[in-house]
Every structure is written in structure tokens, then in C-alpha cells.
């Protein structure tokens, strides 16, 4: 018996409301970023400043990234279909991952160009550089404040915010470099500060790629430990064992789980399923849960020639003696006599006075 649950409709309404609000923020941020990008390109060419050109290039990529994030947000609202049963929400994670990789590329480009500028110094006009940098700082602060009020758990929004934060740091570096050049005439400050900005961008890029990559690899959602699920659910009356526990996330807000529950012969399956779903929602904040109910040995453990085989944990099978276990559930040969034989074997095992492991230890 397999049961399946979805998130309540109210959660979808909240998700849609938050999505529309974030979409408006992305539109404003993209407009501000794209508009001032042209001014920075002109200012960088006139003044000869690498810091301005690097920031302009960063803003160009940011504009593209914000536009892609906006597209992903709109695409995610499309309903699920037969080919994509979870809908298009995961596309936002792909965009966040891509934005992280783009940030890596920007940082590397700035570092390489800075090295070239240090080897071959370029004359920089501090006055025009300062004017453009101050304007860029104001625009980036406005865009940052617009995005900062958005959904911080949305990796798509987080990627957009990191792009703008990188622009803001670039503007600060350009202002500092222009002031040093105006006061002392020391040109190397421009590429040096650009490298510092590149290092900060690399740190943010790494965090974004790591978080989005973890979701794309179906990793356990942040703040959850799959090893805690089995022991917690095993305390439900009628549950004998919890195993094959898998936790993952479609997005940081859409968590899902599948698990197998072996229950006692007298237990009522529908009631057990309801109890498991309730505990998964209240204790682990997972509303999308699939539960497979079992009465005897797990069907997924059946191997060749009727031998049980569990891929979820490792045992040394070199010696026959290694098949002895100190926990109550059976892990041996399937009895050809029929389903009743499995129940008899289990009852027999329960009567032995062996020390038992915590229920649900095999996940």
C-alpha cells in the first residue's frame, strides 16, 4: 500500500503571492542595473579605469542574470504536466546554479585583467572615474534594497541579490581607487582593489553554487537529518520498523520524502499512514510524503535466488556467521512456503532475548 500527500492549497497561495512580489522586485532591479550599465561602460572607456569597466561588465552579466531569474520565476508558475509531475520550480535552481558559475567567471576575468594592468600600468582619469563610480554606487544601493526585501529562501532571488551585492562592492572599490588616484596619483590601486572585489565575489559564488548544487543532487534539505526520521516515526504505535528513508527538495521551500514502514499485523494501515504524514509535517516540515506500508520483509530487499539483500547498509557476507544479526527483524532467506512463513519467522525472532537496535536504524 502506498500513500501520497501534497502541500495544502493555502501554501500554494502564499507561494504565488511571494512569487509575484519577488517578480516585481526583479523587474525594478533589472531596470536599474541595465540602465546604469551603459553609463559605466562610457565612463570606464573615457577614464581608462579597469575598476569601472570590470563593474560595467559585472553589471551587464547581472542584467542578464536578473532577466534570466525573472524568466525562471515566471516559468515556475506553469502547472505540472505528465512529463514534469513536479512542475517547473526546479528551473529556478538551475538558474541559481548558472548564476553562481557566471560569478566565478566574472571574478576570474577581473583577476586576470588586474594582473595585466599591474604588469602594464594604464593612465587613469580620477575625476570622471569618481563621478561615474558614485552614480553606480547609488544605483546599486537602490537595486540591493529592492531585492533585499524579497524572499531570502529563494535561491533564484539569492543569486540575483549576490549579483547586485557584487556590483555594489565594485562601485565602492572604484570610488576608493579614484580618490587614491586623485590624491596621490598611484595608479596600481585600481587593479589591486579590483582583485579584492573579485575575491569577495568568489566567496559568494561558491556559497550559491554549493547550495543550488546540493538541491540538484537531491541532497537532504538544510536543517534536516535523515537519520532522525526512522527513530522518531518508529515511536508511533503499530510501527515496527522505518527504512528506505529519502529526503530531498524541489526548491528550498518544497520538501519531499519517501519511506517504507513495516507495521504490526494488528495495526490499521490507513491510520498509520495518517500518523506518519502528520509527524512528517509537524516535526520535519515536509508535506509531500509517500509512504509504502509493509507487513513482512521489504520487497525491495529481495535479491536473486530468494535471498534478502539490502542496499541501504553494508554487511560483510564473506562468512556465513556474518548473517547473524542482533536486531529483531528478519534479514534472511525468503521462505517458499508463502507469506505466512515470514510472519512466523518474525514472531520467532521476537521471542529471542537479543539486544535490539533502536527501531528504524536502517535508513
Amino acid at each position: 500500500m502506498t500513500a501520497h500527500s501534497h502541500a495544502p492549497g493555502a501554501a500554494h497561495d502564499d507561494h504565488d503571492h511571494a512569487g509575484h512580489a519577488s517578480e516585481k522586485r526583479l523587474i525594478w532591479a533589472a531596470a536599474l542595473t541595465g540602465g546604469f550599465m551603459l553609463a559605466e561602460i562610457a565612463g570606464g572607456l573615457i577614464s581608462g579605469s579597469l575598476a569601472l569597466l570590470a563593474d560595467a561588465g559585472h553589471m551587464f552579466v547581472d542584467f542578464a542574470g536578473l532577466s534570466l531569474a525573472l524568466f525562471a520565476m515566471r516559468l515556475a508558475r506553469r502547472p505540472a504536466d505528465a512529463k514534469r509531475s513536479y512542475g517547473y520550480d526546479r528551473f529556478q535552481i538551475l538558474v541559481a546554479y548558472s548564476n553562481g558559475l557566471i560569478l566565478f567567471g566574472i571574478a576570474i576575468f577581473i583577476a586576470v585583467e588586474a594582473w595585466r594592468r599591474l604588469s602594464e600600468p594604464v593612465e587613469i582619469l580620477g575625476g570622471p572615474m569618481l563621478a561615474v563610480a558614485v552614480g553606480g554606487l547609488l544605483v546599486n544601493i537602490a537595486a540591493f534594497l529592492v531585492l533585499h526585501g524579497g524572499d531570502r529562501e529563494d535561491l533564484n532571488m539569492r543569486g540575483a541579490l549576490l549579483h547586485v551585492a557584487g556590483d555594489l562592492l565594485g562601485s565602492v572599490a572604484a570610488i576608493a581607487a579614484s580618490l587614491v588616484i586623485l590624491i596621490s596619483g598611484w595608479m596600481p590601486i585600481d587593479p589591486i582593489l579590483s582583485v579584492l572585489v573579485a575575491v569577495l565575489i568568489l566567496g559568494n559564488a561558491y556559497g550559491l553554487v554549493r547550495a543550488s548544487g546540493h538541491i540538484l543532487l537531491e541532497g537532504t534539505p538544510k536543517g534536516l537529518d535523515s537519520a532522525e526520521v526512522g527513530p522518531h516515526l518508529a515511536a508511533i504505535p503499530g510501527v515496527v520498523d522505518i527504512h528506505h528513508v529519502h529526503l530531498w527538495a524541489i526548491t528550498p521551500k518544497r520538501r519531499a520524502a519517501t519511506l517504507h514502514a513495516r507495521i504490526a499485523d494488528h495495526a490499521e494501515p490507513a491510520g498509520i499512514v495518517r500518523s506518519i504524514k502528520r509527524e512528517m509535517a509537524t516535526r520535519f516540515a515536509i508535506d509531500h510524503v509517500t509512504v509504502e506500508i509493509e507487513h513482512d520483509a521489504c520487497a525491495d530487499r529481495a535479491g536473486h535466488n530468494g535471498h534478502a539483500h539490502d542496499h541501504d547498509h553494508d554487511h560483510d557476507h564473506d562468512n556465513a556467521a556474518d548473517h547473524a544479526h542482533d536486531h529483531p527483524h528478519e534479514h534472511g532467506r525468503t521462505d517458499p512456503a508463502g507469506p505466512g512463513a515470514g510472519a512466523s519467522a518474525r514472531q520467532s525472532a521476537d521471542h529471542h532475548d537479543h539486544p535490539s537496535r533502536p527501531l528504524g536504524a536502517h535508513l
Side-chain angles (χ1 to χ4, degrees):
M1 174 181 178
T2 301
H4 189 65
S5 72
H6 295 274
H12 288 291
D13 293 339
D14 293 340
H15 175 73
D16 291 339
H17 179 73
H20 284 292
S22 296
E23 183 177 317
K24 291 180 180 179
R25 294 177 183 275
L26 281 174
I27 292 174
W28 276 104
L32 290 169
T33 301
F36 197 78
M37 173 191 66
L38 299 177
E40 276 203 318
I41 292 175
L45 292 175
I46 293 173
S47 66
S49 169
L50 171 62
L52 280 183
L53 289 175
D55 194 44
H58 191 188
M59 291 188 78
F60 172 76
V61 178
D62 287 352
F63 175 73
L66 290 170
S67 301
L68 187 58
L70 181 61
F71 172 72
M73 192 167 289
R74 291 187 173 182
L75 184 65
R77 292 205 302 265
R78 296 179 61 179
D81 53 39
K83 291 184 177 181
R84 299 170 184 85
S85 60
Y86 283 111
Y88 292 81
D89 276 355
R90 182 60 69 84
F91 188 73
Q92 299 180 63
I93 308 302
L94 288 173
V95 170
Y97 186 82
S98 300
N99 275 335
L101 295 180
I102 290 172
L103 285 170
F104 270 110
I106 292 173
I108 293 172
F109 170 78
I110 294 175
V112 171
E113 184 64 17
W115 176 260
R116 190 183 69 81
R117 289 291 185 96
L118 287 172
S119 303
E120 302 174 7
V122 176
E123 186 71 22
I124 298 173
L125 301 178
M129 176 182 176
L130 178 61
V132 176
V134 170
L137 178 63
L138 295 177
V139 170
N140 286 321
I141 288 176
F144 183 83
L145 292 177
V146 167
L147 292 177
H148 191 266
D151 187 356
R152 302 299 297 275
E153 293 185 20
D154 187 337
L155 285 180
N156 198 32
M157 284 292 292
R158 179 179 166 188
L161 184 63
L162 288 178
H163 271 293
V164 174
D167 285 337
L168 197 154
L169 292 174
S171 296
V172 171
I175 291 174
S178 63
L179 290 175
V180 171
I181 291 172
L182 286 173
I183 295 172
S184 65
W186 192 50
M187 301 299 172
I189 187 63
D190 182 59
I192 289 174
L193 289 181
S194 298
V195 170
L196 292 179
V197 173
V199 171
L200 294 175
I201 292 174
L202 280 175
N204 290 331
Y206 172 75
L208 182 61
V209 169
R210 181 179 180 182
S212 54
H214 184 73
I215 292 179
L216 292 175
L217 290 173
E218 307 292 355
T220 301
K222 183 179 180 181
L224 295 181
D225 184 356
S226 59
E228 296 179 0
V229 175
H232 182 79
L233 298 181
I236 297 175
V239 174
V240 176
D241 178 44
I242 298 292
H243 53 277
H244 279 318
V245 177
H246 297 283
L247 310 178
W248 73 97
I250 308 303
T251 68
K253 286 189 172 182
R254 289 189 63 188
R255 297 174 170 181
T258 62
L259 58 91
H260 291 195
R262 187 159 63 94
I263 66 175
D265 292 337
H266 61 80
E268 197 269 313
I272 295 292
V273 169
R274 286 193 296 270
S275 297
I276 289 176
K277 289 179 180 290
R278 182 170 56 250
E279 288 299 316
M280 292 295 286
T282 57
R283 173 65 177 82
F284 301 103
I286 301 177
D287 292 320
H288 191 104
V289 184
T290 301
V291 181
E292 182 170 332
I293 295 295
E294 300 166 346
H295 291 279
D296 295 309
C298 177
D300 287 354
R301 294 175 180 173
H304 297 290
N305 300 323
H307 285 81
H309 186 69
D310 188 355
H311 292 282
D312 285 346
H313 55 283
D314 296 325
H315 291 292
D316 185 0
H317 288 178
D318 291 338
N319 299 309
D322 289 336
H323 286 279
H325 299 286
D326 58 355
H327 48 86
H329 69 275
E330 73 280 0
H331 193 69
R333 184 183 302 275
T334 302
D335 195 331
S344 299
R346 183 173 68 256
Q347 292 171 358
S348 176
D350 290 339
H351 289 153
H352 291 291
D353 294 327
H354 294 300
S356 59
R357 296 182 184 178
L359 291 176
H362 293 277
L363 304 183

